[in-house]
Amino acid sequence: MQNLAVIGAQWGDEGKGKIVDLLCENFDVVARYQGGHNAGHTVKFGEKHFSLRLIPSGILHPDKLCILGNGMVIDPEALLDEIEQLRGLGVTIESNLKISDSAHVILPYHRALDLAREEAAGNAKIGTTGRGIGPAYETKVSRYGIRVADLLDPDVLREKIDFACAEKNPVLQGVYGKPTHDPKKLFDDYTRFGEVLADRITNGTVLINEQIRGGKRLMFEGAQGTLLDIDHGTYPFVTSSSTIVGGICTGLGVAPKHIHHVTGVAKAYTTRVGGGAFPTELEAAPGEHLRKRGNEYGTVTGRPRRTGWLDLAILRTAAMLNGIDSIALTKLDVLDEFEEIPVCTEYNVHGERWQTFPAFAVEHHDYKPVYRTFKGWNSPTAGITSYDELPAAAKDYVRFIEDETECAVSIISTGPRREETIERRARR
Ligand code: IMP
């Protein structure tokens, strides 16, 4: 029996949604363990196009049980919208979607604080998705958060909302000059959300461990990426949760021995949204070409993504932090029209060679990426489904990634659709 973790190896947007969807048929349960509706997974097959934010991509397969884990922060309004939208596209969402009662709830004051802080920070802003993710995790850690179970208990909910408003309203108004939130209205709205979601709310930890004991196969779906991890990422330009494999244990209540295989999803180049270090960033024409050809605009916010060449220091770091067993390399076809393709193999930092990406104080170092330049294949790989059909130069590129990361590239994605994929190893 093999349970699989699918983790972003860069700064998110690596194409995890497609990979989870592709591998899903081998699993019974798909669970998310962190983040909220800051995530944006896109899955395309046939003529259909699904955008997922909170709900695991496994939901597109009606026989999979999908779990929103306790490590997530959930905006009930966004969740209900997503359920409605997916149902409108013919997706079955009945008892196949469960929510951990210990997940934390995002309320409108979290969103307001997120936006107000970003506005006040000016050039120092993080570039968040503005969904209230950071403030909701702050409230969780402060131990005054509202958990999903609280939506079902009117007395507790009223008390917690009153307490939160008494604290957040003066900050919103006094510090940021923003409107306040009416606790009575919040109580009414969130009681209603609780009523609508009640059948889905369960002890997520018990549920998932029952599945494990019952011999079911589990997939753990990561959101964002390794370098957005709160501890190991490019702090403070990170998200507020543990995006790496370790987050699965706390974010779902699953012991490490139940995580059997880790697939790191990496784009064939690099992108990031928001602020923060990006050593291989391209500002001129090649960056724009990657953005256009790769359609590098945020699924959640529509923001243009920053683009750059592949960075092996990042992939080595991701392999180290997550214990990556295999890599799913996505968007190889986006590189189809380059004469030359540089790859960053390490950094030169004041004459020292750095082979990994240190989370600490990257901003204060003078990073010089050291590149090895590959000959571009300059021919179409889009839609190719067999490794043998790839041009020799593309195979060299893939082999180099394998050698440098010491991880097998088991999947290569050559287009956004489910069918546009090369699978090199037997599925686990
Ligand atoms: P937050 O998660 O909204 O607080 O945003 C913090 C940082 O994480 C910002 O740089 C966001 O752009 C980034 N981020 C959050 N979610 C995603 C994602 O799903 N893909 C890529 N970047 C993300």
Side-chain angles (χ1 to χ4, degrees), residues 11-14 16 35-41 114 118 126-135 137 223-225 228 236-241 271-276 298-301 303 305:
W11 276 293
D13 307 318
E14 298 92 350
K16 295 177 289 297
H37 64 314
N38 49 347
H41 291 164
D114 193 359
E118 286 282 275
I126 294 165
T128 72
T129 59
R131 300 293 192 264
I133 306 293
Y137 276 113
Q224 290 84 45
L228 287 174
F237 299 96
V238 292
T239 192
S240 298
S241 61
T271 64
R272 91 173 286 184
V273 258
T299 319
V300 175
T301 59
R303 289 181 289 178
R305 295 181 185 137

